[in-house]
Amino acid sequence: MAFELYYWDGIQGRGEFIRLALEETGSNYVDVTREPDRGTEEMMQIINSSSEAHIPFAPPFLRDGDQLVSHVANILFYLGPRLGLAPLDEASRWFANGLQLTITDFVAEVHDTHHPIATSKYYEDQKDEAKARSFEFVRNRLPKFLDYFERVLTQNSAQGGHLVGNGLTYVDLSMFQMIEGLLYAFPKAMTGHESRYPGLARLHRLVKNRPAIAAYLASPRRLAFNESGIFRRYPELDIDR
């Protein structure tokens, strides 16, 4: 049976971290809300179910037969061993999960640069607060996260330039998506990132050039970044480091 991925149509968002793992491994999956005969209504029926015991709080979530798994890091922790994208030893699998959870925190801070007050308000209703939050993000939080992941790469360099273990894992794919999103949303702040973070830049290129990922990026399945997703390009929020 095909994996069923449930996420909002029209944006990459958090669902993209799951798509990259499925695309890299050539997995059979259905992007449910993009199916004309299924759509968002089917996703909301599960979320609002009054009978499903394991209801998710929000998308993305994944159905694998009778198993329903929610939250990006949890889904990837579930998929990783099944798709060959997780380390073989238990200690490394837990470390990979910790890295993915740190990426989850990173994603949340990116989101809050344009919605620092409330997700129920439009960006235009909180522009002043967004500008202040983005200044703090670019000057302090962005380098803190990137410095950490660069250090993890450096200290694992003997294993072939991956974040954990000696082969490609879902964490490498997720870091690729983070760099892609940051280059879109904060091109000025990311200027010169290749020299500041050479390990992350190499990893980004490695993932981008993998045959399955390159084919996916060139396909209509890969939606473009836009100002409805997590990574949004608002020039007034992008400042020099």
Side-chain angles (χ1 to χ4, degrees):
M1 294 178 63
F3 293 110
E4 294 184 335
L5 173 64
Y6 293 82
Y7 194 67
W8 304 111
D9 190 15
I11 59 173
Q12 293 182 22
R14 292 175 175 83
E16 197 67 11
F17 295 96
I18 313 304
R19 291 188 196 101
L20 287 168
L22 295 169
E23 291 282 347
E24 163 62 23
T25 53
S27 298
N28 184 17
Y29 78 99
V30 177
D31 217 329
V32 174
T33 67
R34 298 183 185 178
E35 293 293 305
D37 58 338
R38 301 183 73 174
T40 303
E41 183 178 352
E42 182 175 333
M43 179 177 76
M44 297 311 298
Q45 286 175 350
I46 296 174
I47 292 174
N48 296 322
S49 171
S50 58
S51 59
E52 172 65 55
H54 297 161
I55 54 172
F57 177 72
F61 54 92
L62 183 89
R63 186 185 293 280
D64 180 17
D66 294 331
Q67 183 69 54
L68 201 62
V69 188
S70 63
H71 289 279
V72 171
N74 200 33
I75 295 168
L76 291 173
F77 191 68
Y78 174 84
L79 284 176
R82 289 165 173 79
L83 302 184
L85 289 175
L88 296 178
D89 64 287
E90 185 177 15
S92 294
R93 287 199 301 272
W94 284 112
F95 181 62
N97 187 51
L99 291 176
Q100 190 66 46
L101 287 166
T102 306
I103 290 174
T104 299
D105 293 340
F106 200 178
V107 170
E109 296 209 21
V110 171
H111 171 272
D112 289 350
T113 61
H114 51 78
H115 276 75
I117 302 300
T119 56
S120 59
K121 295 180 182 290
Y122 291 111
Y123 164 68
E124 289 73 18
D125 298 325
Q126 46 195 319
K127 290 180 73 172
D128 290 341
E129 295 87 351
K131 193 168 185 178
R133 182 61 178 262
S134 295
F135 181 90
E136 170 65 20
F137 174 77
V138 169
R139 291 294 172 86
N140 295 307
R141 302 300 291 169
L142 178 63
K144 187 176 182 67
F145 279 104
L146 293 181
D147 286 346
Y148 168 72
F149 284 109
E150 181 72 16
R151 186 157 54 94
V152 170
L153 264 177
T154 299
Q155 293 176 197
N156 194 47
S157 60
Q159 300 295 329
H162 298 286
L163 280 163
V164 56
N166 59 5
L168 185 83
T169 68
Y170 62 82
V171 185
D172 296 323
L173 299 172
S174 292
M175 182 50 58
F176 161 79
Q177 177 66 6
M178 286 301 307
I179 300 297
E180 283 282 288
L182 291 167
L183 288 171
Y184 172 79
F186 297 98
K188 187 183 295 184
M190 289 293 286
T191 299
H193 79 282
E194 298 96 336
S195 58
R196 285 197 297 268
Y197 309 108
L200 291 175
R202 282 193 301 272
L203 179 62
H204 176 261
R205 291 192 298 271
L206 181 150
V207 172
K208 192 169 189 174
N209 291 324
R210 291 184 67 84
I213 295 299
Y216 170 59
L217 296 178
S219 78
R221 298 189 303 280
R222 170 73 167 190
L223 297 179
F225 288 107
N226 58 57
E227 277 52 74
S228 295
I230 293 169
F231 297 98
R232 304 188 184 187
R233 180 176 291 171
Y234 295 126
E236 62 271 23
L237 304 185
D238 188 19
I239 60 173
D240 290 317
R241 285 272 302 275

PDB file of all heavy atoms in Angstrom, residues 222-239:
ATOM      1  N   ARG A 222       7.312  19.438  -6.835  1.00  0.00           N
ATOM      2  CA  ARG A 222       8.011  20.380  -5.941  1.00  0.00           C
ATOM      3  C   ARG A 222       7.407  21.767  -6.162  1.00  0.00           C
ATOM      4  O   ARG A 222       7.651  22.426  -7.162  1.00  0.00           O
ATOM      5  CB  ARG A 222       9.502  20.401  -6.257  1.00  0.00           C
ATOM      6  CG  ARG A 222      10.306  21.500  -5.560  1.00  0.00           C
ATOM      7  CD  ARG A 222      10.528  21.265  -4.090  1.00  0.00           C
ATOM      8  NE  ARG A 222      11.552  22.193  -3.582  1.00  0.00           N
ATOM      9  CZ  ARG A 222      12.121  22.122  -2.387  1.00  0.00           C
ATOM     10  NH1 ARG A 222      11.760  21.174  -1.546  1.00  0.00           N
ATOM     11  NH2 ARG A 222      13.047  22.988  -2.025  1.00  0.00           N
ATOM     12  N   LEU A 223       6.602  22.201  -5.216  1.00  0.00           N
ATOM     13  CA  LEU A 223       6.002  23.523  -5.301  1.00  0.00           C
ATOM     14  C   LEU A 223       7.058  24.586  -5.029  1.00  0.00           C
ATOM     15  O   LEU A 223       8.024  24.354  -4.292  1.00  0.00           O
ATOM     16  CB  LEU A 223       4.869  23.657  -4.285  1.00  0.00           C
ATOM     17  CG  LEU A 223       3.673  22.717  -4.463  1.00  0.00           C
ATOM     18  CD1 LEU A 223       2.654  22.958  -3.358  1.00  0.00           C
ATOM     19  CD2 LEU A 223       3.036  22.902  -5.826  1.00  0.00           C
ATOM     20  N   ALA A 224       6.877  25.749  -5.588  1.00  0.00           N
ATOM     21  CA  ALA A 224       7.795  26.859  -5.336  1.00  0.00           C
ATOM     22  C   ALA A 224       7.538  27.444  -3.953  1.00  0.00           C
ATOM     23  O   ALA A 224       6.426  27.368  -3.423  1.00  0.00           O
ATOM     24  CB  ALA A 224       7.605  27.937  -6.402  1.00  0.00           C
ATOM     25  N   PHE A 225       8.583  28.022  -3.359  1.00  0.00           N
ATOM     26  CA  PHE A 225       8.371  28.784  -2.130  1.00  0.00           C
ATOM     27  C   PHE A 225       7.417  29.927  -2.438  1.00  0.00           C
ATOM     28  O   PHE A 225       7.423  30.486  -3.545  1.00  0.00           O
ATOM     29  CB  PHE A 225       9.698  29.345  -1.611  1.00  0.00           C
ATOM     30  CG  PHE A 225      10.621  28.313  -1.030  1.00  0.00           C
ATOM     31  CD1 PHE A 225      11.764  27.920  -1.711  1.00  0.00           C
ATOM     32  CD2 PHE A 225      10.358  27.736   0.201  1.00  0.00           C
ATOM     33  CE1 PHE A 225      12.622  26.971  -1.186  1.00  0.00           C
ATOM     34  CE2 PHE A 225      11.210  26.783   0.742  1.00  0.00           C
ATOM     35  CZ  PHE A 225      12.349  26.403   0.051  1.00  0.00           C
ATOM     36  N   ASN A 226       6.617  30.299  -1.452  1.00  0.00           N
ATOM     37  CA  ASN A 226       5.707  31.419  -1.630  1.00  0.00           C
ATOM     38  C   ASN A 226       5.415  32.065  -0.284  1.00  0.00           C
ATOM     39  O   ASN A 226       5.849  31.563   0.763  1.00  0.00           O
ATOM     40  CB  ASN A 226       4.416  30.982  -2.328  1.00  0.00           C
ATOM     41  CG  ASN A 226       3.679  29.891  -1.571  1.00  0.00           C
ATOM     42  OD1 ASN A 226       3.324  30.049  -0.412  1.00  0.00           O
ATOM     43  ND2 ASN A 226       3.446  28.755  -2.244  1.00  0.00           N
ATOM     44  N   GLU A 227       4.673  33.151  -0.314  1.00  0.00           N
ATOM     45  CA  GLU A 227       4.435  33.918   0.906  1.00  0.00           C
ATOM     46  C   GLU A 227       3.204  33.432   1.682  1.00  0.00           C
ATOM     47  O   GLU A 227       2.569  34.200   2.410  1.00  0.00           O
ATOM     48  CB  GLU A 227       4.331  35.407   0.571  1.00  0.00           C
ATOM     49  CG  GLU A 227       5.681  36.102   0.446  1.00  0.00           C
ATOM     50  CD  GLU A 227       6.643  35.386  -0.495  1.00  0.00           C
ATOM     51  OE1 GLU A 227       6.445  35.468  -1.722  1.00  0.00           O
ATOM     52  OE2 GLU A 227       7.587  34.720  -0.008  1.00  0.00           O
ATOM     53  N   SER A 228       2.897  32.160   1.523  1.00  0.00           N
ATOM     54  CA  SER A 228       1.866  31.528   2.342  1.00  0.00           C
ATOM     55  C   SER A 228       2.456  30.417   3.205  1.00  0.00           C
ATOM     56  O   SER A 228       1.751  29.846   4.040  1.00  0.00           O
ATOM     57  CB  SER A 228       0.754  30.946   1.454  1.00  0.00           C
ATOM     58  OG  SER A 228       0.072  31.960   0.756  1.00  0.00           O
ATOM     59  N   GLY A 229       3.729  30.090   2.976  1.00  0.00           N
ATOM     60  CA  GLY A 229       4.355  28.988   3.692  1.00  0.00           C
ATOM     61  C   GLY A 229       5.156  29.452   4.893  1.00  0.00           C
ATOM     62  O   GLY A 229       4.966  30.545   5.426  1.00  0.00           O
ATOM     63  N   ILE A 230       6.087  28.601   5.328  1.00  0.00           N
ATOM     64  CA  ILE A 230       6.935  28.931   6.482  1.00  0.00           C
ATOM     65  C   ILE A 230       8.023  29.902   6.072  1.00  0.00           C
ATOM     66  O   ILE A 230       8.269  30.902   6.757  1.00  0.00           O
ATOM     67  CB  ILE A 230       7.556  27.640   7.058  1.00  0.00           C
ATOM     68  CG1 ILE A 230       6.474  26.754   7.664  1.00  0.00           C
ATOM     69  CG2 ILE A 230       8.617  27.985   8.121  1.00  0.00           C
ATOM     70  CD1 ILE A 230       6.953  25.363   8.009  1.00  0.00           C
ATOM     71  N   PHE A 231       8.686  29.623   4.966  1.00  0.00           N
ATOM     72  CA  PHE A 231       9.774  30.472   4.481  1.00  0.00           C
ATOM     73  C   PHE A 231       9.191  31.531   3.547  1.00  0.00           C
ATOM     74  O   PHE A 231       8.707  31.194   2.459  1.00  0.00           O
ATOM     75  CB  PHE A 231      10.826  29.638   3.748  1.00  0.00           C
ATOM     76  CG  PHE A 231      11.511  28.614   4.605  1.00  0.00           C
ATOM     77  CD1 PHE A 231      11.105  27.285   4.592  1.00  0.00           C
ATOM     78  CD2 PHE A 231      12.564  28.982   5.447  1.00  0.00           C
ATOM     79  CE1 PHE A 231      11.740  26.340   5.386  1.00  0.00           C
ATOM     80  CE2 PHE A 231      13.200  28.040   6.242  1.00  0.00           C
ATOM     81  CZ  PHE A 231      12.782  26.719   6.212  1.00  0.00           C
ATOM     82  N   ARG A 232       9.205  32.785   3.996  1.00  0.00           N
ATOM     83  CA  ARG A 232       8.601  33.866   3.218  1.00  0.00           C
ATOM     84  C   ARG A 232       9.632  34.961   2.962  1.00  0.00           C
ATOM     85  O   ARG A 232      10.383  35.326   3.869  1.00  0.00           O
ATOM     86  CB  ARG A 232       7.405  34.462   3.955  1.00  0.00           C
ATOM     87  CG  ARG A 232       6.342  33.438   4.306  1.00  0.00           C
ATOM     88  CD  ARG A 232       5.102  34.088   4.862  1.00  0.00           C
ATOM     89  NE  ARG A 232       4.125  33.109   5.284  1.00  0.00           N
ATOM     90  CZ  ARG A 232       2.892  33.403   5.686  1.00  0.00           C
ATOM     91  NH1 ARG A 232       2.499  34.686   5.709  1.00  0.00           N
ATOM     92  NH2 ARG A 232       2.064  32.461   6.072  1.00  0.00           N
ATOM     93  N   ARG A 233       9.615  35.469   1.751  1.00  0.00           N
ATOM     94  CA  ARG A 233      10.572  36.523   1.404  1.00  0.00           C
ATOM     95  C   ARG A 233       9.898  37.885   1.538  1.00  0.00           C
ATOM     96  O   ARG A 233       9.156  38.331   0.664  1.00  0.00           O
ATOM     97  CB  ARG A 233      11.107  36.333  -0.016  1.00  0.00           C
ATOM     98  CG  ARG A 233      12.115  37.419  -0.423  1.00  0.00           C
ATOM     99  CD  ARG A 233      12.696  37.154  -1.792  1.00  0.00           C
ATOM    100  NE  ARG A 233      13.576  35.991  -1.790  1.00  0.00           N
ATOM    101  CZ  ARG A 233      14.080  35.429  -2.887  1.00  0.00           C
ATOM    102  NH1 ARG A 233      13.771  35.911  -4.077  1.00  0.00           N
ATOM    103  NH2 ARG A 233      14.889  34.389  -2.792  1.00  0.00           N
ATOM    104  N   TYR A 234      10.169  38.523   2.669  1.00  0.00           N
ATOM    105  CA  TYR A 234       9.756  39.902   2.889  1.00  0.00           C
ATOM    106  C   TYR A 234      11.036  40.723   2.995  1.00  0.00           C
ATOM    107  O   TYR A 234      11.739  40.644   4.017  1.00  0.00           O
ATOM    108  CB  TYR A 234       8.925  40.037   4.165  1.00  0.00           C
ATOM    109  CG  TYR A 234       7.597  39.315   4.127  1.00  0.00           C
ATOM    110  CD1 TYR A 234       7.240  38.401   5.127  1.00  0.00           C
ATOM    111  CD2 TYR A 234       6.690  39.552   3.095  1.00  0.00           C
ATOM    112  CE1 TYR A 234       6.032  37.763   5.106  1.00  0.00           C
ATOM    113  CE2 TYR A 234       5.466  38.900   3.067  1.00  0.00           C
ATOM    114  CZ  TYR A 234       5.140  38.012   4.075  1.00  0.00           C
ATOM    115  OH  TYR A 234       3.915  37.359   4.056  1.00  0.00           O
ATOM    116  N   PRO A 235      11.409  41.493   1.973  1.00  0.00           N
ATOM    117  CA  PRO A 235      12.692  42.211   1.966  1.00  0.00           C
ATOM    118  C   PRO A 235      12.914  43.054   3.200  1.00  0.00           C
ATOM    119  O   PRO A 235      14.066  43.190   3.665  1.00  0.00           O
ATOM    120  CB  PRO A 235      12.603  43.069   0.705  1.00  0.00           C
ATOM    121  CG  PRO A 235      11.672  42.314  -0.202  1.00  0.00           C
ATOM    122  CD  PRO A 235      10.648  41.696   0.711  1.00  0.00           C
ATOM    123  N   GLU A 236      11.858  43.587   3.765  1.00  0.00           N
ATOM    124  CA  GLU A 236      12.007  44.453   4.945  1.00  0.00           C
ATOM    125  C   GLU A 236      12.435  43.677   6.190  1.00  0.00           C
ATOM    126  O   GLU A 236      12.898  44.285   7.174  1.00  0.00           O
ATOM    127  CB  GLU A 236      10.703  45.205   5.236  1.00  0.00           C
ATOM    128  CG  GLU A 236       9.505  44.332   5.571  1.00  0.00           C
ATOM    129  CD  GLU A 236       8.704  43.907   4.341  1.00  0.00           C
ATOM    130  OE1 GLU A 236       9.289  43.903   3.230  1.00  0.00           O
ATOM    131  OE2 GLU A 236       7.519  43.586   4.513  1.00  0.00           O
ATOM    132  N   LEU A 237      12.348  42.353   6.152  1.00  0.00           N
ATOM    133  CA  LEU A 237      12.770  41.539   7.294  1.00  0.00           C
ATOM    134  C   LEU A 237      14.176  40.977   7.132  1.00  0.00           C
ATOM    135  O   LEU A 237      14.714  40.398   8.071  1.00  0.00           O
ATOM    136  CB  LEU A 237      11.792  40.370   7.504  1.00  0.00           C
ATOM    137  CG  LEU A 237      10.319  40.726   7.704  1.00  0.00           C
ATOM    138  CD1 LEU A 237       9.514  39.460   8.025  1.00  0.00           C
ATOM    139  CD2 LEU A 237      10.146  41.757   8.818  1.00  0.00           C
ATOM    140  N   ASP A 238      14.749  41.142   5.960  1.00  0.00           N
ATOM    141  CA  ASP A 238      16.058  40.560   5.645  1.00  0.00           C
ATOM    142  C   ASP A 238      17.144  41.617   5.815  1.00  0.00           C
ATOM    143  O   ASP A 238      17.132  42.643   5.130  1.00  0.00           O
ATOM    144  CB  ASP A 238      16.047  40.032   4.215  1.00  0.00           C
ATOM    145  CG  ASP A 238      17.303  39.242   3.862  1.00  0.00           C
ATOM    146  OD1 ASP A 238      18.004  38.802   4.783  1.00  0.00           O
ATOM    147  OD2 ASP A 238      17.546  39.070   2.655  1.00  0.00           O
ATOM    148  N   ILE A 239      18.081  41.388   6.733  1.00  0.00           N
ATOM    149  CA  ILE A 239      19.148  42.353   6.991  1.00  0.00           C
ATOM    150  C   ILE A 239      20.501  41.671   6.873  1.00  0.00           C
ATOM    151  O   ILE A 239      20.598  40.437   6.911  1.00  0.00           O
ATOM    152  CB  ILE A 239      19.012  42.976   8.404  1.00  0.00           C
ATOM    153  CG1 ILE A 239      19.089  41.885   9.472  1.00  0.00           C
ATOM    154  CG2 ILE A 239      17.724  43.771   8.531  1.00  0.00           C
ATOM    155  CD1 ILE A 239      19.134  42.422  10.896  1.00  0.00           C
TER     156      ILE A 239
END
